[in-house]
Amino acid sequence: MFPEIPRPFNTQYKCFSVSMLPGTYRQDVERGGKIIMPPSALEQLTRLNINYPMLFKLINKKTNRITHCGVLEFVADEGKVYLPYWMMHNLLLEEAQLINVQSVSLPVATFSRFQPQSEDFLDITNPKAVLENGLRSFACLTTGDVIAIKYNQRIYEMCVLETEPGPAVSIIECDMNVEFAPPVGYVEPEKQMKKDENVVDPADLMPAPLGFVAFKGEGNRLDGKKRKDSVQSDVATNKPTYVRGIPDYEYEIGTLTFLRNMKPINNKEVKDQDEFKAFTGEGFSLRKSRK
């Protein structure tokens, strides 16, 4: 009628790195955040009615370093536990040193922030996908730990800067938002400020066209009347003449300019120039006069 209250698990073991595990080298243990415990630990955990998933708190009492982990298998020798090398490095542990293992219950993670320990991490195309794939072999995260993730035959170290809703969280079957801090040693490139200089229109630097220029002459009416655009101002505009192949640097967005339809500005103050009158010359006959 009354549910059994889970009792805490608290035991000391001699810790060893995964490379000391008998048999073939277990790379799956080295990559993740889980440890290997002895079979007696499983029997004791079953009697204590521990909540699942099994999560543990590892304490190095000599240095007061703490981290959290899960368990992968119960196949270690009695009195021994095998840890990934990066976990022993965080706890400042040496081979065969005593470590305290306690059972804990951690909240589910909602947010975490990581800082790569090398600028090489910036070369990865999709860092979030790489991190997600690497965290599949982890059970929990602890703020301040430096975890190791293997990708493309390389080991990338990531420092856990922040976790929510607590300093230690469980990442088993959870939706967690991830952010990255700038890598250690990364310096953003400084923007070079350009000195104030007089802006010169490249069109003004172009030499005047030499040789034959098509359609540069003037037209005249056959009836002798004055053309409307014959009178032009000498100082109509200071804008340089259009030269083909040079962009218009004064272009305004949203406007269209048709050069063939542009009309010169009429200035009434300009004095009339000498007009050309058609058919006002003298004629001559090719035949000689009989007189």
Side-chain angles (χ1 to χ4, degrees), residues 144-253:
D145 279 358
V146 179
I147 64 176
I149 295 176
K150 187 174 183 179
Y151 172 72
N152 199 16
Q153 305 300 324
R154 295 191 60 180
I155 301 296
Y156 296 93
E157 293 184 345
M158 310 285 293
C159 180
V160 184
L161 296 181
E162 182 182 358
T163 56
E164 292 182 1
V169 292
S170 172
I171 59 173
I172 299 176
E173 297 181 358
C174 69
D175 293 331
M176 179 177 63
N177 296 325
V178 176
E179 287 185 1
F180 291 99
V184 176
Y186 174 76
V187 179
E188 295 185 0
E190 298 180 358
K191 296 181 179 179
Q192 298 180 355
M193 301 299 294
K194 295 183 178 179
K195 298 181 179 179
D196 296 336
E197 298 179 355
N198 296 329
V199 180
V200 179
D201 190 354
D204 298 339
L205 303 177
M206 294 297 294
L210 302 175
F212 172 76
V213 179
F215 305 105
K216 192 177 180 182
E218 297 181 356
N220 298 283
R221 296 173 61 97
L222 296 177
D223 55 4
K225 294 183 179 180
K226 180 181 178 181
R227 292 193 306 117
K228 295 181 179 179
D229 57 348
S230 60
V231 179
Q232 300 180 359
S233 174
D234 293 337
V235 193
T237 176
N238 293 328
K239 186 175 180 180
T241 57
Y242 173 75
V243 180
R244 185 175 182 180
I246 299 178
D248 185 4
Y249 293 95
E250 298 181 0
Y251 170 75
E252 297 180 0
I253 298 176

